[in-house]
Amino acid sequence: PLEVPAELGTRLHAMATVGARRFWLVGEGGAIVRVALPGAPRAFVSEWVGRTPCGGRPRGMSVDGQGGLWAAFDVGIAHVSPDGRTACVRGAPGLPQSGLETVVFDGERLWVGARDDGGIFLREREGGAFHRITSADGLYCDSIFALVDDGGGGLWSACGHGVQWTDKRPLIERARGGFPIVPAVGFIESDGLR
């Protein structure tokens, strides 16, 4: 059986894979554990990492190219480096104070989705301001519950009306004040989404 530190609690809120047979778990109160499956399918090794300084309930997570963890909490974005150091992005210019749902770091930029008509928030450099992109800018919908970087220059998002896809280049240009309308493609039930 998987034995995780008691600090993780009994409710796991989110998980993200690091690679083959390795993943992160986030539990109650932002407790973080790194898990590896070194051999047999039911043999687990867990390592207590700590608690994020963000607080709040964990939402969506993603792993960066170095094996670090990015986790959206209702009130901030936590980053856990591969060596276990934690930091919280909260109260940054342009980032909402609550309603954060999902986060993706694509190696250069931090993308955050927020519910309640929040939209997509983009930060191009560490310590920089976040720029909000909404349906007024061309998105199909604004309540964003999950983001996925497709690795081919596109950004998928699960939203209140279905799923949308957008090329990241127009999103970046729009955040910089250019590109008048972001061409997003929405997929709903009539498109076969169920």
Side-chain angles (χ1 to χ4, degrees), residues 141-155:
C141 60
D142 292 332
S143 292
I144 307 297
F145 300 103
L147 291 172
V148 175
D149 182 339
D150 67 13
L155 189 68

Side-chain angles (χ1 to χ4, degrees), residues 88-163:
C88 182
V89 178
R90 182 175 37 207
L95 188 67
Q97 299 297 312
S98 64
L100 305 179
E101 284 288 328
T102 183
V103 61
V104 169
F105 181 70
D106 67 8
E108 296 180 50
R109 296 168 191 87
L110 191 61
W111 303 86
V112 178
R115 64 180 183 277
D116 303 328
D117 297 323
I120 295 174
F121 297 83
L122 168 61
R123 183 178 80 177
E124 291 201 70
R125 60 180 173 74
E126 188 171 338
F130 283 85
H131 300 278
R132 183 177 183 220
I133 303 162
T134 68
S135 58
D137 301 305
L139 291 183
Y140 176 66
C141 60
D142 292 332
S143 292
I144 307 297
F145 300 103
L147 291 172
V148 175
D149 182 339
D150 67 13
L155 189 68
W156 289 89
S157 53
C159 62
H161 302 301
V163 176

Side-chain angles (χ1 to χ4, degrees), residues 64-88:
D64 61 30
Q66 290 77 42
L69 175 71
W70 290 90
F73 286 74
D74 187 49
V75 297
I77 303 298
H79 179 247
V80 183
S81 66
D83 65 4
R85 289 176 290 136
T86 61
C88 182

Side-chain angles (χ1 to χ4, degrees), residues 2 20-23 35-46:
L2 173 60
R21 305 177 69 79
R22 297 180 325 163
F23 54 93
V35 178
L37 302 125
R42 298 191 59 83
F44 294 88
V45 175
S46 65

